[in-house]
Amino acid sequence: MSKTGFYAERIRPVVVTAVLTAICITLVSAFYLSTQDRVKENEGLVLKRAVLFAAGLNVPATNQGINELYESLVTEDNGVFTVKDTSGKPAAYAFIQTGPGLWGEIGAVIAFDSSLSQFAGVDFISQNETPGLGARITESWFKEQLRGKVPPLKMNPEGTESSAPSEIDAITGASRTSEYALSLFNRAGERAASLKGGN
Amino acid sequence: MAGKALKTFTAPLGKDNPVFVQILGICSTLAVTNNLKNTVVMVLGVMFTTTLSSFTFSLLRKVIPGRIRMIAETLIIATFVIIVDIVLRAFMPEIWQQLGPYVGLIITNCIVMGRMEAFAASNPPGLSLIDGLASGMGYAYVLVIIAFFRELLGSGSVWGFPLLGDWWTNWAIMIMPPGAFFMLAIFIWVVKGRSKE
């Protein structure tokens, strides 16, 4: 094998791959770094919006409005968000509950009323469920049905819309995701009960 | 040259359509089409990726040795896909969350790599760009049509706006995976039935 043959056959592919990889990594890193602050701000807003929504408040439409309302009503201590009413008394407690999902971890902010015995509401902050099926846990009917319910919950088929205090509807076509969501809610219920014991 | 460019542009839209003729990119066709909004974001991502990947690979086609061709293709595709992912995450966080893993899975969409292998590897950058864009568009319009009917029948809405009233009973199967198979099959049936071949 001639010298140029050796170079063309063995060295050049490695060099070209290395250079191309370096260029691609640089490009991706540049995009990542330049959007990092924005992503962080988005994540912060997602959490604030979730806490306000779970506590049953009207979530302002603008980012600034969300920040202001959050600052005025919510305090965080040791992972527990205390949401006050306008008179300054605690109206709801919320915390982040995570658990397994079908494809990845599900993260939710779950809020309880001031007695810690009833769900005030839920909002999901991270999930990778199947779009159109499991991802429907983020639809408002699924989240709204939790308000005022008492843990531990059990689940009915979608469309039952039971008014019983401990029953919620599952999602058709997403039985596994529904079960994961149910156990997430129930573990949050246990955690709320333990917080009550501590108070 | 202009004739070839036009032919390159129209083929993927009709007789060489990647979805209903070549039956490529079916995974995402089935997965994301239960909701029009997600579908539109997804097809924009695919169009962006396939256009720029074909163009970039064609530019580099004489520099990249044949034996690492596929490594290079994958690298180029992955770069553009991750850029789409990062931009969505920063500027459309809600849609990014809903699409979840499917944005990353554009990397494995056979249409993107297929066009690079079949066209960009042996054609100049300008034509490859047209081919990439047209293939993306050929994919896009099929998905948008399927998504329109799936969301309409499955959720009674279009783009999230309720269109059919309370009298409408949602066909849950349309937003589940079997609904995608039915819609795609009906689409292919209608298109093939209309063509003279």
Coordinates of all heavy atoms in Angstrom, one line a residue, chain A residues 85-130:
Chain A
D85 N -53.8 33.3 51.4 CA -54.9 34.0 50.8 C -54.6 35.5 51.0 O -53.6 35.9 51.6 CB -56.3 33.6 51.4 CG -56.4 33.8 52.9 OD1 -55.5 34.6 53.4 OD2 -57.3 33.3 53.5
T86 N -55.5 36.4 50.5 CA -55.2 37.8 50.5 C -55.1 38.4 51.9 O -54.5 39.4 52.1 CB -56.3 38.6 49.7 OG1 -57.6 38.0 50.0 CG2 -56.1 38.5 48.2
S87 N -55.7 37.7 52.9 CA -55.6 38.2 54.3 C -54.3 37.7 55.0 O -54.0 38.1 56.1 CB -56.8 37.7 55.1 OG -56.8 36.3 55.2
G88 N -53.5 36.9 54.3 CA -52.2 36.5 54.8 C -52.2 35.1 55.5 O -51.2 34.7 56.0
K89 N -53.4 34.5 55.6 CA -53.5 33.2 56.3 C -53.2 32.1 55.3 O -53.5 32.2 54.1 CB -54.9 33.0 56.9 CG -55.0 33.5 58.3 CD -56.3 33.1 58.9 CE -57.4 34.0 58.4 NZ -58.8 33.8 58.9
P90 N -52.5 31.0 55.7 CA -52.2 30.0 54.7 C -53.5 29.4 54.2 O -54.4 29.0 55.0 CB -51.5 28.9 55.6 CG -51.0 29.7 56.7 CD -52.0 30.7 57.0
A91 N -53.6 29.3 52.8 CA -54.9 28.8 52.2 C -54.6 27.4 51.7 O -55.5 26.6 51.5 CB -55.4 29.7 51.2
A92 N -53.3 27.2 51.3 CA -53.0 25.9 50.7 C -51.5 25.6 50.9 O -50.7 26.5 51.0 CB -53.3 25.9 49.2
Y93 N -51.2 24.3 50.9 CA -49.8 23.9 50.9 C -49.6 23.1 49.7 O -50.4 22.2 49.3 CB -49.5 23.0 52.2 CG -49.7 23.8 53.4 CD1 -50.9 23.6 54.2 CD2 -48.7 24.6 53.9 CE1 -51.1 24.3 55.3 CE2 -48.9 25.3 55.1 CZ -50.1 25.2 55.8 OH -50.3 25.8 57.0
A94 N -48.4 23.2 49.0 CA -48.1 22.5 47.8 C -46.6 22.0 47.9 O -45.8 22.5 48.6 CB -48.2 23.4 46.6
F95 N -46.4 20.9 47.2 CA -45.0 20.4 47.1 C -44.9 19.6 45.8 O -45.8 19.3 45.1 CB -44.6 19.5 48.3 CG -45.6 18.4 48.6 CD1 -45.7 17.3 47.9 CD2 -46.5 18.6 49.7 CE1 -46.6 16.3 48.2 CE2 -47.5 17.6 50.0 CZ -47.5 16.5 49.3
I96 N -43.6 19.4 45.4 CA -43.3 18.7 44.2 C -43.3 17.2 44.5 O -42.6 16.8 45.5 CB -42.0 19.1 43.6 CG1 -42.0 20.6 43.2 CG2 -41.6 18.3 42.4 CD1 -40.7 21.1 42.8
Q97 N -44.1 16.4 43.8 CA -44.1 15.0 44.0 C -43.6 14.4 42.6 O -44.1 14.7 41.6 CB -45.5 14.5 44.3 CG -45.6 13.0 44.6 CD -45.1 12.7 46.0 OE1 -45.3 13.4 46.9 NE2 -44.4 11.5 46.0
T98 N -42.6 13.5 42.7 CA -42.2 12.8 41.5 C -42.4 11.3 41.6 O -42.5 10.8 42.7 CB -40.7 13.0 41.2 OG1 -40.0 12.5 42.3 CG2 -40.4 14.5 41.0
G99 N -42.6 10.7 40.5 CA -42.8 9.3 40.5 C -42.6 8.7 39.1 O -42.4 9.5 38.1
P100 N -42.6 7.4 38.9 CA -42.4 6.8 37.6 C -43.6 7.1 36.6 O -44.7 7.3 37.1 CB -42.3 5.3 37.9 CG -43.0 5.1 39.1 CD -42.9 6.4 39.9
G101 N -43.3 7.2 35.3 CA -44.3 7.2 34.3 C -44.1 6.1 33.3 O -43.2 5.3 33.6
L102 N -44.8 6.2 32.2 CA -44.6 5.1 31.2 C -43.2 5.2 30.6 O -42.5 4.2 30.4 CB -45.7 5.2 30.2 CG -45.8 4.0 29.2 CD1 -46.0 2.7 29.9 CD2 -46.9 4.3 28.2
W103 N -42.8 6.4 30.2 CA -41.5 6.5 29.5 C -40.5 7.2 30.3 O -39.3 7.0 30.1 CB -41.7 7.4 28.2 CG -42.7 6.9 27.2 CD1 -43.9 7.5 26.9 CD2 -42.6 5.7 26.5 NE1 -44.5 6.7 26.0 CE2 -43.8 5.6 25.7 CE3 -41.7 4.6 26.5 CZ2 -44.1 4.5 24.9 CZ3 -42.0 3.5 25.6 CH2 -43.2 3.5 24.9
G104 N -40.9 7.9 31.3 CA -39.9 8.6 32.1 C -40.6 9.1 33.4 O -41.7 8.9 33.6
E105 N -39.8 9.8 34.2 CA -40.3 10.3 35.4 C -41.4 11.4 35.2 O -41.3 12.2 34.3 CB -39.2 11.0 36.2 CG -39.5 11.2 37.7 CD -38.4 11.8 38.4 OE1 -38.0 13.0 38.2 OE2 -37.8 11.1 39.3
I106 N -42.4 11.3 36.1 CA -43.5 12.3 36.0 C -43.2 13.2 37.3 O -43.0 12.7 38.4 CB -44.9 11.7 36.1 CG1 -45.1 10.8 34.9 CG2 -45.9 12.8 36.2 CD1 -46.5 10.1 35.0
G107 N -43.2 14.5 37.0 CA -43.1 15.5 38.2 C -44.3 16.3 38.2 O -44.8 16.8 37.2
A108 N -44.9 16.5 39.4 CA -46.1 17.3 39.6 C -46.0 18.1 40.8 O -45.4 17.8 41.8 CB -47.3 16.4 39.7
V109 N -46.7 19.3 40.7 CA -46.9 20.1 41.9 C -48.3 19.7 42.4 O -49.2 19.8 41.7 CB -46.8 21.6 41.7 CG1 -47.2 22.4 42.9 CG2 -45.4 22.0 41.3
I110 N -48.4 19.2 43.7 CA -49.6 18.8 44.2 C -49.9 19.7 45.4 O -49.1 19.9 46.3 CB -49.7 17.3 44.5 CG1 -49.4 16.5 43.3 CG2 -51.0 16.9 45.2 CD1 -49.4 15.1 43.4
A111 N -51.1 20.3 45.4 CA -51.5 21.2 46.5 C -52.6 20.6 47.3 O -53.5 19.9 46.8 CB -51.9 22.6 45.9
F112 N -52.6 20.9 48.6 CA -53.7 20.5 49.5 C -54.2 21.7 50.2 O -53.6 22.8 50.3 CB -53.1 19.6 50.6 CG -52.7 18.2 50.0 CD1 -51.5 18.1 49.4 CD2 -53.6 17.2 50.0 CE1 -51.1 16.8 48.8 CE2 -53.2 15.9 49.4 CZ -52.0 15.8 48.8
D113 N -55.5 21.6 50.7 CA -56.1 22.7 51.4 C -55.4 22.9 52.7 O -54.5 22.2 53.1 CB -57.6 22.5 51.6 CG -57.9 21.4 52.6 OD1 -56.9 20.6 52.9 OD2 -59.0 21.3 53.1
S114 N -55.8 23.9 53.5 CA -55.1 24.3 54.7 C -55.1 23.2 55.8 O -54.2 23.2 56.6 CB -55.6 25.6 55.2 OG -57.0 25.5 55.4
S115 N -56.1 22.3 55.7 CA -56.2 21.2 56.7 C -55.3 20.0 56.2 O -55.2 19.1 57.0 CB -57.6 20.8 56.9 OG -58.1 20.1 55.7
L116 N -54.8 20.1 55.0 CA -53.9 19.0 54.5 C -54.6 17.7 54.3 O -54.0 16.7 54.2 CB -52.7 18.8 55.4 CG -51.5 19.8 55.2 CD1 -50.5 19.8 56.3 CD2 -50.8 19.6 53.8
S117 N -56.0 17.8 54.2 CA -56.7 16.5 54.1 C -57.4 16.4 52.7 O -57.9 15.3 52.4 CB -57.7 16.4 55.2 OG -58.5 17.5 55.3
Q118 N -57.5 17.5 52.0 CA -58.1 17.5 50.7 C -57.2 18.0 49.6 O -56.4 18.9 49.9 CB -59.3 18.5 50.7 CG -60.6 17.9 51.1 CD -61.8 18.9 50.9 OE1 -61.6 19.9 50.3 NE2 -62.9 18.6 51.6
F119 N -57.3 17.4 48.4 CA -56.5 18.0 47.3 C -57.0 19.3 47.0 O -58.2 19.5 46.9 CB -56.6 17.1 46.1 CG -55.8 15.8 46.2 CD1 -56.5 14.6 46.5 CD2 -54.4 15.7 46.1 CE1 -55.8 13.4 46.6 CE2 -53.7 14.5 46.2 CZ -54.4 13.4 46.4
A120 N -56.1 20.3 46.8 CA -56.5 21.6 46.3 C -56.4 21.6 44.8 O -57.2 22.2 44.0 CB -55.7 22.7 46.8
G121 N -55.4 20.8 44.3 CA -55.2 20.7 42.8 C -53.9 20.2 42.5 O -53.0 19.9 43.3
V122 N -53.7 20.0 41.2 CA -52.4 19.5 40.7 C -52.0 20.1 39.4 O -52.9 20.6 38.6 CB -52.5 17.9 40.4 CG1 -53.6 17.6 39.4 CG2 -51.2 17.3 40.0
D123 N -50.7 20.3 39.1 CA -50.2 20.7 37.8 C -48.9 19.9 37.6 O -48.2 19.7 38.5 CB -50.0 22.2 37.8 CG -50.0 22.7 36.3 OD1 -50.3 21.9 35.4 OD2 -49.7 23.9 36.1
F124 N -48.8 19.4 36.3 CA -47.6 18.6 36.0 C -46.5 19.5 35.5 O -46.7 20.4 34.6 CB -48.0 17.5 34.9 CG -48.9 16.5 35.5 CD1 -50.3 16.7 35.3 CD2 -48.5 15.4 36.2 CE1 -51.2 15.8 35.9 CE2 -49.3 14.5 36.8 CZ -50.7 14.7 36.6
I125 N -45.3 19.3 36.0 CA -44.2 20.2 35.5 C -43.2 19.4 34.6 O -42.5 20.0 33.9 CB -43.4 20.8 36.7 CG1 -43.0 19.8 37.7 CG2 -44.2 21.9 37.3 CD1 -42.2 20.3 38.9
S126 N -43.2 18.1 34.7 CA -42.4 17.3 33.7 C -43.0 16.0 33.5 O -43.5 15.3 34.4 CB -41.0 17.2 34.3 OG -41.0 16.5 35.5
Q127 N -43.1 15.6 32.2 CA -43.6 14.3 31.9 C -43.2 14.0 30.5 O -43.0 14.8 29.7 CB -45.1 14.2 32.1 CG -45.9 15.3 31.3 CD -46.3 14.9 29.9 OE1 -46.2 13.7 29.5 NE2 -46.7 15.8 29.1
N128 N -43.0 12.7 30.2 CA -42.7 12.2 28.9 C -43.7 11.2 28.4 O -43.3 10.3 27.6 CB -41.3 11.6 28.8 CG -40.2 12.7 28.8 OD1 -40.3 13.6 28.0 ND2 -39.2 12.5 29.7
E129 N -44.9 11.4 28.8 CA -45.9 10.4 28.4 C -46.3 10.5 26.9 O -46.0 11.5 26.3 CB -47.2 10.5 29.2 CG -46.9 10.4 30.7 CD -46.1 9.1 31.1 OE1 -46.7 8.0 31.0 OE2 -45.0 9.2 31.4
T130 N -46.9 9.5 26.3 CA -47.2 9.5 24.9 C -48.1 10.6 24.5 O -49.2 10.8 25.1 CB -47.9 8.2 24.5 OG1 -47.3 7.1 25.3 CG2 -47.9 7.9 23.1

